[in-house]
Amino acid sequence: MSTKRLGVIMNGVTGRMGLNQHLIRSIIAIRNQGGVVLKSGDRMLPDPILVGRNADKIERLAKQYGVERWTTDLDKALENKDDTIFFDAATTQARPGLLSKAVDAGKHIYCEKPIATNLPEAIEVVKRANAKGIKHGTVQDKLFLPGLKKLAMLRDSGFFGRMLSVRGEFGYWVFEGDWQEAQRPSWNYRSEDGGGIILDMVCHWRYVLDNLFGEVESLTCMGTTDIPERWDEEGKKYKATADDSAYATFKLKGGVIAHMNMSWVTRVYRDDLVTFQVDGTHGSAVAGLTECMIQARQATPRPVWNPDEKRTHDFYADWQKVPDNVSYDNGFKEQWEMFIRHVCEDAPYKYTLLEGAKGVQLVECALQSWKERRWVDVPTIKV
C-alpha cells in the first residue's frame, strides 16, 4: 500500500471558518493522521496551497501550520495540473465566479455555503460543474454534529413513532463592536456585502430539515434588523442594513411542522447555542451540538395546569441522556474525508452543489415570504 499526494487549493482560509474548521481541524488534522485511507489501502495525503490577497498574512499562516506552499495569485494556482481540488471559504458574493473559474480549470470543487447569494447564479455553477464532469460538494456541517447524528439514530430506530413537529432555537448575542469586539465580521450585517442571518442560516436549515425530518414543501418567514448601528473592525460606526434575527415556519413532506428561531441579538438560556426539540407520538428528543436528551412515551409525566400553585416538579429530571456509544470526529473533517474518497475512488457522495443550490433557493423563498408577508411554496429545482 502506498501514500499518494493530493493537491488542494485552499482559498479564503484566513477567515474564521476557513482557518479553524477547514485548514486546522480538517486538512492539517488529516495530514497529521497520515492521510485518508481508501478501500485499496492506499492513503491520500493532502498537500495544500494557501491562497489569499494579503501576502504577509498568508505567509505567516503557512509557516505557523507547516504548509510549504502559499500564493496571492489564484490564476497561477489554478494552472497547476498537480492540484486537483479547489476549496473556497471566502465571501459569498465572490463565490460563484471563483467556483466557475475553478470548474473551467478542470478542478474538483468543494466550498462553504451559501454557494451564491441568488438562485440563478447557484444553478449556473451547478450546470457548469455537471457539464465539465468534475466532482463537486458543499459543506453541510450540521448533519455531522454528534447531537444531530443522535437524532438521526433515534429516527432510524423508530423512537419517535410518527414525527409531529420540530422546534429549533439558534443564536447568541453578537456584540455591537463599540465597547466589546464583535464575534462576527462586520460584512455579516450589511446586505450590500452579502450579509444577513437569513442568507447565512436558512441554507443550514434546508439540509438539516431535508435530511432528518422531511423535505421542505413551503415556508413563512419574517426577518428584522434589531440593532441598526454597529462598529466595524477598525472601530468605525456603520449602518446595519441586513437582518440580524428571523423567525421561520416550515411545512415538511409527510406533515411535520418545523419552526426555527434564529438570532444574533438573543442571550442564551438553554443548553447550547443551537437546540432542536423533536416531538413524536412515541417519544421526544432535544439535541444540541453534542448532547441529546430523550423522553419516551412510557416515561412521560402527567403535568397538571394550575397557575395558583408554585411549580415544584423538576421537568428536566424526567429526561434521559442518549449515551455516546460511538466516537465522534470533527464534522468538517469527516465531510472532507468523504469528499476526498469521492474524488479519489468515486465513493458515494450526496452533498453536491445541487444541495447547496437548494439552500440558496430556500433563502430566496424566505426573503420573498418576508417581503410579501405570506406562505411561499418551494418547488423542485430543475437543472
Side-chain angles (χ1 to χ4, degrees), residues 215-346:
E215 294 180 12
V216 179
E217 293 184 336
S218 59
L219 85 160
T220 179
C221 180
M222 183 184 78
T224 63
T225 304
D226 290 319
I227 305 294
E229 294 180 333
R230 292 180 177 268
W231 284 257
D232 64 18
E233 291 77 7
E234 282 72 47
K236 297 180 181 179
K237 183 188 290 188
Y238 67 94
K239 183 180 180 181
T241 55
D243 43 289
D244 53 17
S245 59
Y247 313 89
T249 302
F250 307 87
K251 183 179 181 296
L252 310 184
K253 185 176 181 179
V256 174
I257 301 298
H259 182 80
M260 295 297 306
N261 293 326
M262 57 205 102
S263 177
W264 289 323
V265 289
T266 185
R267 294 172 176 90
V268 181
Y269 186 69
R270 53 185 185 273
D271 292 333
D272 217 326
L273 297 185
V274 61
T275 58
F276 297 88
Q277 175 158 342
V278 184
D279 291 315
T281 54
H282 291 171
S284 297
V286 178
L289 296 173
T290 56
E291 304 296 349
C292 183
M293 305 297 292
I294 56 175
Q295 185 176 104
R297 180 186 185 189
Q298 298 87 343
T300 302
R302 186 184 181 91
V304 177
W305 174 261
N306 186 349
D308 298 321
E309 291 184 4
K310 183 178 180 179
R311 183 65 53 196
T312 60
H313 183 82
D314 184 0
F315 288 101
Y316 290 106
D318 297 321
W319 292 72
Q320 177 185 358
K321 181 180 177 180
V322 176
D324 293 321
N325 289 338
V326 298
S327 178
Y328 298 99
D329 205 347
N330 177 278
F332 289 88
K333 174 174 174 281
E334 186 175 350
Q335 194 179 350
W336 260 105
E337 291 175 331
M338 290 176 62
F339 185 69
I340 289 173
R341 292 190 180 98
H342 178 55
V343 168
C344 297
E345 62 180 5
D346 203 28

Side-chain angles (χ1 to χ4, degrees), residues 37-166:
V37 180
L38 305 181
K39 287 183 178 180
S40 64
D42 291 338
R43 288 178 175 269
M44 302 304 302
L45 190 65
D47 176 21
I49 176 171
L50 309 186
V51 182
R53 292 174 296 178
N54 188 314
D56 291 337
K57 182 182 264 188
I58 205 78
E59 182 181 17
R60 286 197 304 269
L61 196 63
K63 288 181 178 178
Q64 183 178 358
Y65 293 102
V67 176
E68 296 180 356
R69 303 184 300 147
W70 63 272
T71 184
T72 59
D73 191 339
L74 176 59
D75 290 337
K76 186 175 180 180
L78 290 172
E79 291 175 1
N80 188 353
K81 302 298 182 182
D82 294 330
D83 291 327
T84 56
I85 293 177
F86 172 77
F87 169 75
D88 180 63
T91 62
T92 304
Q93 286 182 319
R95 185 159 298 135
L98 292 173
L99 296 183
S100 296
K101 183 180 289 189
V103 168
D104 291 343
K107 308 301 181 185
H108 303 298
I109 56 176
Y110 184 54
C111 67
E112 262 291 349
K113 43 60 55 192
I115 68 170
T117 59
N118 60 79
L119 187 57
E121 286 188 340
I123 293 298
E124 178 58 33
V125 172
V126 175
K127 288 181 176 179
R128 187 184 293 255
N130 288 343
K132 193 72 173 182
I134 57 97
K135 292 183 168 66
H136 48 83
T138 187
V139 176
Q140 314 264 267
D141 57 287
K142 302 273 184 298
L143 293 176
F144 297 86
L145 291 169
L148 269 66
K149 283 189 171 184
K150 292 170 185 176
L151 284 182
M153 179 272 293
L154 293 170
R155 176 204 61 196
D156 295 342
S157 71
F159 169 81
F160 294 110
R162 179 169 60 86
M163 259 191 231
L164 305 173
S165 64
V166 179

